[in-house]
Amino acid sequence: MRIIISPAKQMRVDTDSFACKELPVFMDRTEVLMKWIQSLSYEEQKKLWVCNDKIARQDAERFAHMDPHKNLTPALLAYDGIQYTYMAPAVFEDVQYDYVQEHLRILSGFYGVMRPMDGVVPYRLEMQAKVAVCGHKNLYDFWGDSLYREVIGDSRIVINLASEEYSKCIERYLQLDDRYITCIFGELEGDKVVQKGVYAKMARGEMVRFMAGIHVDEPEQIKTFNWSGYHFDESRSSDTEYVFIRTDIPGKK
């Protein structure tokens, strides 16, 4: 069984906490993207990243001096976002690291697929960025089915905790014998389940921590997740979507 998650936009460098085990599997393609971005003018880079001047200058500097083989941070510790904060990998026990190293995969526009302890450097490149490189019209075309083939594994079971921007890299290549389950974390507004970005990101991080804590190896075990006021809603779930409803909401009756 594999779990897929999205990266975060913000990144940090931590070369001391844990040693990186390997480099990401698609380093040859990463280096193609790196060289292409380095060949762009600053204004072209800023347009690619769709960000303000301060962030663009920081990332332009990163790419100008980038060496993807040095000063590496384990991927799971490199991302600084809500999902990763609530996952809290810095306080994992060894057995939890072993679990996520086997089961968890981080999707990326720049690296493709990363295992948690793969060594990475800070970068900026979202999957939906308008990258026309090597004859490809965008990053979805550039990566093709390679991310799916790397993720699917022998079990052919994937638990999707990624955003749509990243999950569709896998979804478009699913086969009939694959089992692909998307976890939905929402609140009820009338009869409608509404996902709220920040809370959904929190829950995705907590779900990874929950799964690593009990060593989930079958999808059915996920249904017992009940952190932060969420509970599994059987009536709104299906074989392809597990719906978790948040009912314990401060200030809401």
Side-chain angles (χ1 to χ4, degrees):
M1 186 179 72
R2 290 280 165 76
I3 309 157
I4 57 171
I5 61 174
S6 305
K9 291 181 181 179
Q10 300 297 319
M11 297 187 73
R12 61 164 70 94
V13 175
D14 181 351
T15 58
D16 298 323
S17 295
F18 293 95
C20 302
K21 291 191 174 181
E22 299 177 78
L23 291 171
V25 66
F26 294 119
M27 281 301 297
D28 55 340
R29 299 196 195 186
T30 296
E31 292 187 8
V32 169
L33 291 171
M34 178 187 72
K35 291 174 182 176
W36 180 78
I37 293 171
Q38 289 172 335
S39 74
L40 301 177
S41 68
Y42 170 71
E43 290 302 325
E44 288 172 327
Q45 290 176 337
K46 184 180 176 183
K47 184 177 179 181
L48 174 71
W49 295 324
V50 191
C51 61
N52 62 38
D53 239 10
K54 180 181 178 181
I55 293 173
R57 292 196 182 282
Q58 178 189 51
D59 285 294
E61 184 73 10
R62 283 173 170 172
F63 272 95
H65 300 96
M66 183 176 285
D67 184 338
H69 299 272
K70 293 182 179 179
N71 298 319
L72 304 177
T73 300
L76 197 61
L77 302 182
Y79 292 103
D80 184 14
I82 295 170
Q83 180 176 4
Y84 292 84
T85 297
Y86 279 77
M87 193 189 311
V91 296
F92 276 7
E93 297 178 356
D94 288 347
V95 290
Q96 290 172 294
Y97 276 114
D98 292 341
Y99 177 87
V100 293
Q101 182 68 9
E102 179 180 354
H103 296 282
L104 184 67
R105 297 295 180 266
I106 305 168
L107 305 180
S108 162
F110 189 58
Y111 283 105
V113 176
M114 293 165 285
R115 294 154 296 201
M117 301 308 290
D118 285 351
V120 302
V121 296
Y123 68 91
R124 177 174 288 268
L125 189 65
E126 296 180 46
M127 189 63 77
Q128 60 191 1
K130 296 179 180 179
V131 173
V133 61
C134 298
H136 299 287
K137 59 185 179 181
N138 54 40
L139 284 173
Y140 296 106
D141 189 38
F142 176 83
W143 289 110
D145 68 348
S146 58
L147 308 192
Y148 162 79
R149 288 187 285 105
E150 178 64 24
V151 161
I152 194 62
D154 294 335
S155 73
R156 309 198 76 83
I157 300 171
V158 176
I159 306 300
N160 173 30
L161 296 175
S163 65
E164 183 179 355
E165 175 185 354
Y166 290 91
S167 62
K168 66 182 183 181
C169 299
I170 308 300
E171 291 170 359
R172 61 179 57 184
Y173 300 106
L174 291 170
Q175 304 296 306
L176 289 176
D177 55 345
D178 296 335
R179 189 174 182 194
Y180 184 84
I181 301 169
T182 297
C183 292
I184 306 293
F185 301 96
E187 300 172 15
L188 287 180
E189 294 188 1
D191 291 328
K192 188 177 181 180
V193 178
V194 177
Q195 289 199 90
K196 297 184 177 179
V198 171
Y199 294 111
K201 289 177 182 178
M202 291 177 180
R204 288 169 185 160
E206 290 189 328
M207 177 62 87
V208 174
R209 185 152 53 100
F210 168 79
M211 294 176 74
I214 67 170
H215 283 220
V216 169
D217 56 14
E218 293 291 340
E220 287 292 312
Q221 294 171 270
I222 300 171
K223 296 179 180 181
T224 62
F225 177 77
N226 61 357
W227 293 13
S228 297
Y230 285 97
H231 69 272
F232 178 70
D233 191 318
E234 186 81 49
S235 66
R236 292 180 172 85
S237 298
S238 66
D239 289 341
T240 58
E241 282 191 352
Y242 283 4
V243 178
F244 298 85
I245 303 297
R246 184 169 174 249
T247 54
D248 184 11
I249 305 172
K252 186 174 181 179
K253 295 182 180 181

